[in-house]
Amino acid sequence: MPSRPIGSSLFAAAFVQTGDGWSGAEVDLRDAEIVDDLSDAVQESLDLSGDEIALLCVEVEDEWFAIARYQGDMEPRAFISDDRAGLTDALGELFTELAGVAPDRESADLGIRPAGDFDLLSDLGVGSEELIELSMEEGVLPADTLSVIAERLAFADELDRLR
C-alpha cells in the first residue's frame, strides 16, 4: 500500500443529517488500513444509530478530496476527486477501493480524473455534473471545493468549525 509522506496534511470530518440540520465531528483516519475502518471511524465519531445520512469528507494536502456516504444498512457510496490518489496515497487507495475504481497505472494523462459515484449527493442538492465540474475546476484547492459543497448542502458552518 502506498504511504503518505511525513508531514503531509490530512483533514477528515464526518457529518450527520439530523432534524435540526447537520452535525459534524473530526475523524481520525491515520490508522485506517481497510475500507471498513473508514465506516467504523464515522460510526464512532458520530454515534450513528439508524438510517440517518452521514458524509465523510476528506482532503489531503492540496492534492485531492473524497466524500463517502453512509446510510443505515445500505452499501457505502464514494466519490474521489482524482483516482490517481490511489496510486500515491494509502488513504487514496482505500477511497478508490470504496468507490469501486482501479486507477490506471499506465495512463500518461496528467489531468484530474474524478471517479466513483457522481450521484452520491444528487438528492441532497449537488448533482453529478456540478460535482464533476467543481472537482475539475483549475486552480481550486480541494479544501475550497469541499467548502463549496458544504455550503450547497448547508453544513458549511460545521465544516468551518471543525477546520
Side-chain angles (χ1 to χ4, degrees), residues 53-118:
I53 294 171
L55 300 176
L56 173 61
C57 299
V58 175
E59 58 194 54
V60 176
E61 291 284 328
D62 296 336
E63 299 297 321
W64 59 273
F65 74 91
I67 301 171
R69 177 178 174 151
Y70 301 91
Q71 188 171 6
D73 293 332
M74 297 171 70
E75 283 294 314
R77 300 162 61 188
F79 170 84
I80 188 163
S81 64
D82 190 347
D83 72 349
R84 288 174 301 159
L87 299 174
T88 60
D89 186 280
L91 193 55
E93 188 173 353
L94 292 179
F95 272 98
T96 55
E97 180 182 338
L98 184 62
V101 297
D104 183 358
R105 296 179 185 278
E106 305 301 319
S107 176
D109 178 20
L110 298 178
I112 295 172
R113 296 186 311 227
D117 186 343
F118 300 128

Side-chain angles (χ1 to χ4, degrees), residues 27-163:
V27 178
D28 183 1
L29 298 177
R30 288 177 296 190
D31 296 327
E33 295 179 352
I34 61 173
V35 170
D36 288 345
D37 292 341
L38 301 175
S39 61
D40 291 347
V42 170
Q43 176 69 37
E44 290 171 21
S45 67
L46 295 176
D47 194 29
L48 299 177
S49 61
D51 286 337
E52 59 270 271
I53 294 171
L55 300 176
L56 173 61
C57 299
V58 175
E59 58 194 54
V60 176
E61 291 284 328
D62 296 336
E63 299 297 321
W64 59 273
F65 74 91
I67 301 171
R69 177 178 174 151
Y70 301 91
Q71 188 171 6
D73 293 332
M74 297 171 70
E75 283 294 314
R77 300 162 61 188
F79 170 84
I80 188 163
S81 64
D82 190 347
D83 72 349
R84 288 174 301 159
L87 299 174
T88 60
D89 186 280
L91 193 55
E93 188 173 353
L94 292 179
F95 272 98
T96 55
E97 180 182 338
L98 184 62
V101 297
D104 183 358
R105 296 179 185 278
E106 305 301 319
S107 176
D109 178 20
L110 298 178
I112 295 172
R113 296 186 311 227
D117 186 343
F118 300 128
D119 288 316
L120 86 161
L121 303 175
S122 291
D123 63 326
L124 301 174
V126 177
S128 60
E129 288 181 21
E130 183 178 14
L131 184 59
I132 293 167
E133 183 178 306
L134 288 169
S135 301
M136 297 184 73
E137 195 166 333
E138 197 167 323
V140 178
L141 298 175
D144 297 333
T145 302
L146 276 181
S147 292
V148 170
I149 292 168
E151 183 70 34
R152 299 265 201 303
L153 301 182
F155 66 84
D157 290 341
E158 275 294 285
L159 178 65
D160 291 343
R161 180 183 66 81
L162 295 171
R163 281 193 172 138

